[in-house]
Amino acid sequence: MAIHVRRKGKLMAERRKRMIISSLLSALTVVILGGLIMYFIVVYFSKEEPAEFITYTPPPENDDIPKPPTEDPSSSRAAAPSPEINPAVIVSTSVSTVVMARVDVDVPDFGVGNGLGEGDGMGFDGSGLGSGTGKGNGKGDGGGKGLNDDVQVVLCLDASGSMDELFVEVSDSLNMLVNTMTRCRLNGKKARVNLGIVVYGQAMDNGAPRVLTPFTTDVKSMRSKLKEIQCDGAVEPCGEVIDFALNNFEWNMRDRSDILKVIFLAGNEEFTQGSLDYRTAMHKAKRKNIIVNTIYCGLPEEVAMSDPQAREWADAASLADGMGLFIAMDGSPAGVPDDAKLLAAAKALWEVPVMAMGGPNAQERCMKEYAQRPAIPKKQGDVNDWLAENSDLLVHSYDWDLVELCRRYEDEFSLELIGGPGNLPKELRGLGPAEAVSRLQDAAETRSKALRTYMNAAGAGTGFCGKALRALRIQAQEKGIELKS
């Protein structure tokens, strides 16, 4: 009996051991299967939705100046966030942020850049789009500007020994070019614009191109840099210059048909110089939807097309949907404004009366600001430096100027834009609505005439900037962008 009891106990122990092991294996199997099921459920229900953007709008200041109405964002630029939005205040409500459509990228242009927000991202010449964590390192210049621009223009200027006249002309006419560019409007809104400058052909660089100024609208800075250029050398590698401009600016590469991106290449030697075939560079520009206009310096337009070298420049421009332009270089640059006429035109525009809109307190503050405006120079030689500081105010006037608001809206102007007759200036408040609008339209027409006179005096029309603006107007119109004088 004793032996039998011991065998039975041993069998019971082994049976319990097998049951425990079986239970543990079953539990482990359940945990693994449950984990896999949960994983697939989470993956399925957490598929990333398209990024939604929340734009930060600063709280309104305590100010009773009425603001002009803005358009419904859903009515325009639906394909991308508004270019008015600073990337620093874009927030994504999704797992990652994607604001650029897929584009074809040439290998030399590909870089890893700083993303919008934080993240490793795919960037173009040092400006990137990213999602995730960490920081990216980009290549190229540009200072973070350009990704949201509606209008981007790069001037590529030949700084070889025969081109001193070109730099004098561009420097003296730059106010007109930049101020006209900054008047671009897209879908009824002020377009975001930037201009950059490349110089090439200098002996110190063996003719190689370099960025003189990245994208900016700072006329004073650009003029200062232009005046530092010492023209010398002879090599003018046009293909390499175009390729350099494509690679070293933060071009807006979003998939929008209403973005205007233009390169102006100015020079006066054979277009075929350099190790890179210019046709390769032109085709690359076209793939990026960047127009390349050429400006051959040295012959007036009426004789340029009979010159084989000048004709070569015009033919090259057609490869990138550009225009072949010509300017004379005969020692008396037609594009340089006459300081006496420029000063007179600036004074006439500066003296056009302004009218403050809003409540009494706002109007009082505005007129105090107006009284503190800088005095216009008395000497002709000082006009360009003064304009470099104040031309934006001269051309665009004040945010609160009712005359300028009426001029911009033209026939569409109404008192509803300013919140009704109660926000009219005191000199118009006693009039009926129709008479008040009529007085404002008369004042706006006076300002328009003075502005046209100033822009003509600043541009002269037949020089580099005048020809460049003529081409920009045509090319902007094709993109649905309004570029007024």
Side-chain angles (χ1 to χ4, degrees), residues 130-375:
S131 60
T133 58
K135 295 286 186 179
N137 294 315
K139 68 183 181 74
D141 297 316
K145 298 180 179 179
L147 287 175
N148 291 321
D149 292 342
D150 299 304
V151 179
Q152 295 176 313
V153 176
V154 171
L155 309 181
C156 299
L157 307 178
D158 175 9
S160 61
S162 57
M163 303 300 286
D164 293 274
E165 193 173 299
L166 174 66
F167 280 81
V168 172
E169 178 179 331
V170 174
S171 175
D172 288 346
S173 302
L174 199 60
N175 284 304
M176 180 266 296
L177 177 61
V178 174
N179 284 329
T180 304
M181 279 180 55
T182 55
R183 296 183 59 76
C184 287
R185 297 186 70 80
L186 175 60
N187 298 324
K189 298 179 181 179
K190 183 179 178 181
R192 181 167 177 171
V193 306
N194 259 313
L195 183 141
I197 301 176
V198 169
V199 294
Y200 70 99
Q202 286 186 293
M204 60 181 284
D205 299 316
N206 294 319
R210 62 183 175 92
V211 174
L212 186 68
T213 63
F215 278 139
T216 183
T217 54
D218 185 345
V219 176
K220 183 177 180 181
S221 173
M222 287 187 280
R223 290 188 72 236
S224 175
K225 294 288 187 180
L226 286 168
K227 288 182 177 181
E228 294 174 359
I229 297 298
Q230 299 293 322
C231 292
D232 58 7
V235 179
E236 302 171 21
C238 293
E240 294 170 29
V241 175
I242 297 167
D243 190 67
F244 179 86
L246 295 175
N247 294 342
N248 287 273
F249 287 86
E250 295 185 358
W251 298 99
N252 187 341
M253 301 305 293
R254 297 183 181 182
D255 187 17
R256 279 174 41 199
S257 61
D258 55 0
I259 299 173
L260 179 63
K261 299 175 289 185
V262 181
I263 292 173
F264 285 95
L265 178 65
N268 67 346
E269 297 292 340
E270 294 87 354
F271 206 82
T272 55
Q273 293 185 65
S275 59
L276 178 63
D277 191 323
Y278 72 87
R279 290 168 294 190
T280 300
M282 287 292 190
H283 290 312
K284 180 177 176 180
K286 187 169 183 177
R287 289 197 302 273
K288 292 175 175 285
N289 295 316
I290 298 175
I291 298 169
V292 181
N293 297 312
T294 59
I295 299 183
Y296 183 78
C297 307
L299 293 174
E301 189 169 351
E302 57 270 18
V303 299
M305 289 309 292
S306 61
D307 181 85
Q309 187 166 289
R311 205 166 53 241
E312 186 178 56
W313 280 67
D315 291 342
S318 66
L319 298 177
D321 298 328
M323 299 173 62
L325 309 171
F326 312 94
I327 58 174
M329 301 277 284
D330 57 3
S332 55
V336 177
D338 179 275
D339 281 355
K341 292 181 179 179
L342 184 60
L343 182 58
K347 283 182 176 179
L349 182 57
W350 199 239
E351 292 168 1
V352 173
V354 300
M355 296 185 187
M357 55 182 169
N361 292 336
Q363 291 191 26
E364 183 180 355
R365 291 196 304 272
C366 293
M367 296 314 293
K368 284 183 179 179
E369 179 186 358
Y370 179 67
Q372 295 172 357
R373 64 181 184 161

